Amino acid sequence: MPQAGQVVFSRLEEVHFGKPAAETVAEIARRHHAERVFLMVSGTLNRQTDEIDKLRGALGNHCVGTFDRMPAHTPRSAVITAAEQARTAKADLIVTLGGGSITDGAKAVQLCLANDVTTAEALDRVRAPAPVKSPTVRQISVPTTLSAGEFSRISGVTDERTKVKELFRHPDIVPKAVVLDPMVTRHTPMWLFLSTGIRAVDHCVEGICSNESSPYGDAAALHGLELLARGLPRVKRDPGDMDARLDCQIGAWLSMTPLVSGVPMGASHGIGYVLGAVFDIPHGHTSCIMLPSVMRWNRSANADKQALVATAMGHPGEDAGDVLDAFIRGLGMPRSLGEVKVGSDQFDRIARQAMGTPWVPRNPRRIAEPAQVREILELAS
């Protein structure tokens, strides 16, 4: 029977790469007739570098406010605070400069502004399948890490009451434009740049290995994986190598092609959501810890696809789980749950909660019950 599938395209309009961020953002804002630009940015960059000042300078009087207090994992309370500031400022465009938590936060702020959400509890009203008004205040993102959430129509927000990271979806919350400037990433701590690079590797790998993969997604993800496999070690060796940093940024962009075009992720992402929300483990580190073990557990179901992964990483004929393990170790990243102080006494809780994520039920090797998640956790212990 012929192969069949579907590819969905997002409402991201443009990606600029290798250009100075501040001038490029200002030019995009002018072209879209933005008059009141609200910034959501990294607090560290705002306080310790001149990157945010350069952005304000380029925007001039059109910059109407700055929010720089978004914690990791994007808690609901911070989203509400940012939304209130943007509402008070009468923002007609949001610009983010920072990591994935800030990017996701701005996506959620778009929903809050469009739907009069003013409390953390009221965010329940804009979760699917509830009717949701489309955002009218759009977003431009300048990422400083490689998680690549700026290419997605999904926002991950943590409910502090339950310590569950929830997904908010709407086709219009994907940023209108993304600016990839390697120069702004030079301030990113090396552990964060490299670990989010493995997050991008995880996007590539789980997209390629999915039972619902597509030729379109595979083509982008395989090339993205090649760029990341070459670029991340180069950045570790020479942090000033801007060509390598841009290769990593483009690799991260390509890594999102499967996900944003409709290909589901698998157990590495699903378990990672729980580890991040419950134990406050950075998402890059969750991929470093879980991905090789998930690949080993899945090998009986998709060895042919795993062979493509090993080849793209420069190790044809080798076991993909072993290749990923060695690659991650070579970057100096954590490789076990023990290294981040998650013990086996927590495995049952993690396994139960992971079953409720969108991705574990769509893992390429079927996961029917928490006991199978626990098997993967034991491999990663």
Side-chain angles (χ1 to χ4, degrees):
M1 186 173 176
Q3 184 179 17
Q6 179 182 6
V7 173
V8 178
F9 293 96
S10 80
R11 298 185 186 176
L12 171 67
E13 296 177 9
E14 53 192 297
V15 178
H16 299 254
F17 55 93
K19 300 178 181 179
E23 292 84 348
T24 305
V25 167
E27 189 275 326
I28 297 169
R30 281 194 298 272
R31 185 153 36 83
H32 290 281
H33 308 292
E35 297 290 334
R36 303 185 64 80
V37 182
F38 183 74
L39 305 184
M40 291 181 61
V41 302
S42 157
T44 301
L45 291 183
N46 194 23
R47 291 186 295 271
Q48 299 181 14
T49 78
D50 63 352
E51 298 293 348
I52 311 305
D53 284 338
K54 286 193 288 188
L55 188 54
R56 291 192 190 97
L59 291 166
N61 292 334
H62 294 300
C63 181
V64 295
T66 303
F67 176 84
D68 70 352
R69 299 187 309 281
M70 181 61 69
H73 306 297
T74 319
R76 282 189 177 205
S77 58
V79 168
I80 295 302
T81 300
E84 181 55 35
Q85 288 189 22
R87 189 179 289 113
T88 301
K90 297 181 171 58
D92 60 9
L93 179 69
I94 299 170
V95 172
T96 66
L97 200 166
S101 296
I102 294 165
T103 304
D104 274 4
K107 293 184 201 174
V109 166
Q110 291 182 67
L111 291 174
C112 291
L113 296 178
N115 293 274
D116 298 318
V117 172
T118 59
T119 67
E121 294 73 24
L123 274 164
D124 290 335
R125 290 197 280 108
V126 292
R127 291 196 69 205
V132 177
K133 292 180 182 176
S134 297
T136 56
V137 179
R138 296 290 300 280
Q139 177 176 344
I140 299 172
S141 282
V142 183
T144 57
T145 66
L146 300 172
S147 299
E150 58 274 3
F151 298 102
S152 163
R153 52 172 282 178
I154 301 171
S155 171
V157 177
T158 299
D159 187 336
E160 297 103 314
R161 298 167 300 182
T162 59
K163 292 193 173 180
V164 171
K165 190 156 195 176
E166 301 169 323
L167 301 186
F168 293 76
R169 304 171 187 265
H170 193 284
D172 289 331
I173 63 172
V174 66
K176 178 189 288 285
V178 174
V179 179
L180 302 177
D181 178 1
M183 288 296 289
V184 300
T185 72
R186 72 192 191 279
H187 306 292
T188 304
M190 185 59 71
W191 73 267
L192 183 57
F193 188 85
L194 296 177
S195 65
T196 55
I198 298 301
R199 187 68 170 176
V201 167
D202 200 352
H203 300 327
C204 291
V205 170
E206 293 215 303
I208 294 161
C209 291
S210 171
N211 292 337
E212 301 169 58
S213 63
S214 72
Y216 173 74
D218 286 354
L222 286 166
H223 185 50
L225 187 55
E226 290 176 8
L227 289 171
L228 290 159
R230 293 199 306 263
L232 289 168
R234 286 168 57 201
V235 173
K236 181 174 172 61
R237 286 194 300 270
D238 178 9
D241 186 339
M242 292 300 139
D243 288 334
R245 286 180 179 271
L246 184 57
D247 278 353
C248 292
Q249 288 184 301
I250 293 173
W253 170 20
L254 294 175
S255 81
M256 289 295 286
T257 304
L259 180 59
V260 300
S261 62
V263 177
M265 299 290 99
S268 179
H269 278 72
I271 297 169
Y273 279 5
V274 179
L275 294 175
V278 177
F279 300 99
D280 202 30
I281 300 169
H283 274 149
H285 282 170
T286 69
S287 289
C288 293
I289 292 163
M290 295 311 309
L291 182 58
S293 297
V294 168
M295 291 289 279
R296 288 166 174 148
W297 195 84
N298 283 342
R299 193 171 191 278
S300 63
N302 60 5
D304 56 338
K305 293 185 175 184
Q306 294 202 20
L308 297 175
V309 169
T311 299
M313 296 187 71
H315 294 272
E318 296 184 31
D319 178 84
D322 291 345
V323 170
L324 286 161
D325 192 339
F327 183 74
I328 295 165
R329 288 182 189 278
L331 295 176
M333 296 292 105
R335 273 294 303 113
S336 72
L337 290 165
E339 289 177 70
V340 292
K341 298 181 172 53
V342 176
S344 59
D345 58 317
Q346 298 289 342
F347 286 2
D348 286 340
R349 176 190 183 185
I350 297 167
R352 286 193 304 272
Q353 199 161 318
M355 292 299 296
T357 67
W359 305 135
V360 166
R362 296 173 82 175
N363 188 65
R365 178 181 168 190
R366 184 167 178 264
I367 297 176
E369 57 187 4
Q372 292 171 297
V373 178
R374 185 171 178 118
E375 290 175 10
I376 300 171
L377 296 171
E378 295 286 356
L379 290 174
S381 63

